[in-house]
Structures are given as C-alpha cells and as structure tokens.
Amino acid sequence: MATEIFHMDSNGISISVESAIFGEHEYQVKNIESVAIVEDKAKRWPGRMTLLIGIVLIVIGFVIEQTVGMMLGAVALLSGSINLSRKRSRFGLRIMTKRGAVFVLASQDRGYVETVSIALQTAIDSSSN
C-alpha cells in the first residue's frame, strides 16, 4: 500500500499519514494532538530610538554649526535605518504531542509555515479517520 504524502520539500520536511519528519526529528502523526502557528514579533523600538537620536543630533549640530554633531547624527540615523530594515517577525509551528508542546519549524515566511501547518493538519485528520 502506498503512503500518501501531504508535504515534502528540500528543507527536510516530510509529512505523510504515518509520520511527520522535521529535519532529524520524526513524530508519529497519531501522537500529535494539535498544530498552532505562533508569531515572534521583532522589537523595533531600539531602531526607532536610534533614528530619533540621529535626527536630534543632526538638527542640534546644524543649529549650533557643529560638524561633529551632524556626523554623529548621520551615523546614528544610518545605524537606526539598518536596524529597522533587518527586524522582521518570525513565525513558528508548534505541535502538541502527548509529551507536551514542541516547536518544530521557524521561518520569516508566514505562507510557508501556513502551508506546512495545513499539510500537517490534513495528515492528522486523515490518520484519525
């Protein structure tokens, strides 16, 4: 009898009716009780604060005609911009097994996590029937 596969990709994730494989870890689908998507929101306040400090330093340096203050402000402005551009939320997949909660996947791509979640939920529904 052929095993029905609901999801398989190059990241080492394979989900079938019998098992869900996430890299080196394998879980029996019959032991998985629920699946949930969790979000880890990035802290953006440090980047915003650095941007604000940079703008203030540039304005103060311009008002009192101090080149060093304007240069420090420009560096702070650049640093804050880079900080904000690198901060993105991460999404994860948490499964509840009979032994407890396990985080099995993390990605910045919400669509990918949702695809894996739907495939795993389909496998759970298929194995319970």
Side-chain angles (χ1 to χ4, degrees):
M1 180 174 163
T3 301
E4 187 175 358
I5 295 180
F6 296 104
H7 182 83
M8 181 181 283
D9 62 23
S10 62
N11 295 326
I13 297 176
S14 176
I15 300 171
S16 66
V17 175
E18 289 96 21
S19 65
I21 300 170
F22 296 93
E24 298 176 1
H25 302 283
E26 181 175 356
Y27 302 93
Q28 297 300 315
V29 173
K30 63 184 176 185
N31 293 334
I32 299 174
E33 298 171 358
S34 66
V35 178
I37 296 175
V38 293
E39 181 179 2
D40 180 24
K41 294 187 178 182
K43 295 179 182 175
R44 298 179 65 86
W45 68 266
R48 289 180 179 151
M49 188 62 95
T50 307
L51 276 174
L52 181 66
I53 291 170
I55 291 170
V56 168
L57 285 174
I58 289 173
V59 169
I60 290 173
F62 185 74
V63 169
I64 62 173
E65 297 179 4
Q66 186 179 18
T67 310
V68 175
M70 287 191 292
M71 288 178 16
L72 286 174
V75 169
L77 193 67
L78 180 64
S79 173
S81 298
I82 291 171
N83 187 323
L84 282 177
S85 69
R86 300 187 86 195
K87 298 289 182 175
R88 292 192 175 91
S89 294
R90 288 187 5 194
F91 302 95
L93 189 64
R94 180 181 66 210
I95 60 173
M96 184 62 80
T97 64
K98 296 183 191 236
R99 290 186 169 186
V102 179
F103 290 94
V104 293
L105 178 66
S107 175
Q108 290 182 345
D109 184 9
R110 183 180 181 96
Y112 176 67
V113 175
E114 287 175 349
T115 301
V116 174
S117 172
I118 291 168
L120 189 53
Q121 189 62 48
T122 305
I124 292 169
D125 293 342
S126 296
S127 71
S128 64
N129 292 336

